């Protein structure tokens, strides 16, 4: 199961509504993943002020950050704490903190429990910005923990959400480890995220990275991958897992079910289609 939602705004006047719209979309896919949830948001000035590096971490709190790093801004959002500092600085001061995302203009928020309640505890409806992705999880490959929730963000400003399962993730994990890639969990979706991040770090663009993923990974999957300037969707060779894309001049959205798109303004005028198997769709800012 699992539920995916994503919204890429083309119209700046909609940016104050990003969190409101993403919350509404997330609420429509709760039944697909009641165990845990997470979001990544791009462009919110409170969570990720312009020009500042931000790190999202688990295993600490804003109060602990304030004690260990005086003068550093930190924001609690359920299990996640968003810190306006470099990841290395946070880890040095708080060795128990676990990084779940870092980059400029970007924040990741994750937790366990009912996705609607989590969105409320994140303060998601008040978030603004130009892009957001979300995920509701039904755990199959690893424990129900905040670490196991999606999005998986393992490169600067990058994240991946996944519905499905990778059959050969153990083999690909070994190959990546042999190339020096480190892992934080046994989750199969993290393998996909690490593979994509590894390809991007080697100079591939999102389209090429996802084409290479399709060549190397076996299994059933729908993926939504976002970066600081792109929003990309791909499905496996038989398109086993559901996905719909809606596009208007004001926005592009993707979701596992139509009802998550139906909450968006202007949906009645959108071009709506089902992504073709192994075809990579990329929209850029």
């Amino acid at each position: 199961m699992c539920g995916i939602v994503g919204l890429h705004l083309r119209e700046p006047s909609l940016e104050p509504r990003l969190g409101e719209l993403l919350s509404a979309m997330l609420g429509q896919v709760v039944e697909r993943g009641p165990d845990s949830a997470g979001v990544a948001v791009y462009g919110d000035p409170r969570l990720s002020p312009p020009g500042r590096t931000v790190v999202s971490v688990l295993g600490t709190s804003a109060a602990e950050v304030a004690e260990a790093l005086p003068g550093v801004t930190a924001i609690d959002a359920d299990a996640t704490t968003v810190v306006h500092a470099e990841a290395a600085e946070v880890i040095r001061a708080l060795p128990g903190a676990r990084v779940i995302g870092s980059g400029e203009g970007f924040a990741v928020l994750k937790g366990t429990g009912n996705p609607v309640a989590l969105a409320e505890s994140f303060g998601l409806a008040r978030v603004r910005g130009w892009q957001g992705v979300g995920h509701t999880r039904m755990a199959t490959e690893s424990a129900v923990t905040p670490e196991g929730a999606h999005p998986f963000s393992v490169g600067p400003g990058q994240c991946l959400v996944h519905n499905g399962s990778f059959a050969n993730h153990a083999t690909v994990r070994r190959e990546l480890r042999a190339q020096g890639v480190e892992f934080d969990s046994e989750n199969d979706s993290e393998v996909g995220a690490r593979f994509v991040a590894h390809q991007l770090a080697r100079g591939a663009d999102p389209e090429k990275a996802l084409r290479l993923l399709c060549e190397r990974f076996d299994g059933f999957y729908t993926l939504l991958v976002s970066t600081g300037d792109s929003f990309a969707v791909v499905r496996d060779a038989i398109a086993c897992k559901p996905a719909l894309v809606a596009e208007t001049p004001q926005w592009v959205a993707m979701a596992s079910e139509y009802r998550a798109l139906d909450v968006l303004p202007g949906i009645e005028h959108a071009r709506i289609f089902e992504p073709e198997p192994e075809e990579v769709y990329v929209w850029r800012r």
Side-chain angles (χ1 to χ4, degrees):
M1 288 286 279
C2 295
I4 294 174
V5 297
L7 181 60
H8 173 91
L9 296 177
R10 292 165 158 168
E11 173 54 59
S13 67
L14 286 174
E15 292 184 7
R17 299 184 61 194
L18 175 70
E20 168 204 339
L21 296 172
L22 197 63
S23 293
M25 295 177 75
L26 201 69
Q28 295 300 314
V29 293
V30 169
E31 292 85 355
R32 299 191 65 84
D35 298 337
S36 54
V39 296
V41 291
Y42 293 76
D44 182 80
R46 175 174 171 267
L47 291 174
S48 51
R52 293 290 304 276
T53 299
V54 169
V55 58
S56 298
V57 295
L58 301 172
T60 189
S61 67
E64 290 170 332
V65 172
E67 184 176 348
L69 293 166
V72 170
T73 300
I75 300 166
D76 284 328
D78 199 83
T80 306
T81 301
V82 179
V83 186
H84 298 171
E86 298 285 345
E89 182 182 7
V90 176
I91 295 302
R92 278 196 303 271
L94 295 157
R98 298 179 297 284
V99 174
I100 58 169
S102 66
E104 287 191 15
F106 161 81
V108 176
L109 312 173
K110 305 205 287 191
T112 57
N114 181 276
V116 171
L118 283 170
E120 198 168 311
S121 67
F122 295 156
L124 183 58
R126 299 187 297 277
V127 167
R128 60 181 297 151
W130 61 273
Q131 181 167 278
V133 302
H135 187 272
T136 63
R137 185 179 182 224
M138 182 175 286
T140 57
E141 292 289 339
S142 60
V144 179
T145 63
E147 292 91 339
H150 301 214
F152 277 94
S153 177
V154 297
Q158 303 163 16
C159 74
L160 172 147
V161 291
H162 172 206
N163 176 23
S165 59
F166 294 127
N168 62 336
H169 62 93
T171 300
V172 178
R173 185 186 289 109
R174 284 194 297 271
E175 292 171 356
L176 290 173
R177 279 180 170 152
Q179 297 176 62
V181 177
E182 297 181 356
F183 287 81
D184 297 327
S185 75
E186 294 302 310
N187 191 295
D188 66 320
S189 301
E190 185 189 355
V191 182
R194 296 281 178 187
F195 181 91
V196 170
H198 187 58
Q199 300 304 324
L200 293 174
R202 296 172 67 182
D205 61 16
E207 182 173 6
K208 182 176 180 181
L210 289 175
R211 289 191 185 283
L212 291 170
L213 182 145
C214 291
E215 293 175 7
R216 186 65 194 90
F217 281 72
D218 296 327
F220 304 130
Y221 53 85
T222 290
L223 302 175
L224 173 56
V225 173
S226 62
T227 71
D229 63 2
S230 67
F231 181 90
V233 175
V234 72
R235 303 169 80 193
D236 65 73
I238 61 171
C240 178
K241 296 299 179 179
L244 286 170
V245 172
E247 185 172 8
T248 76
Q250 288 73 43
W251 46 261
V252 178
M254 178 267 174
S256 298
E257 297 186 22
Y258 174 77
R259 59 181 175 164
L261 301 173
D262 195 40
V263 302
L264 297 174
I267 185 64
E268 64 274 17
H269 305 300
R271 180 176 77 98
I272 300 172
F273 62 94
E274 188 174 351
E276 294 294 329
E278 289 195 325
E279 183 168 342
V280 180
Y281 299 80
V282 182
W283 295 267
R284 290 184 170 82
R285 193 178 186 196

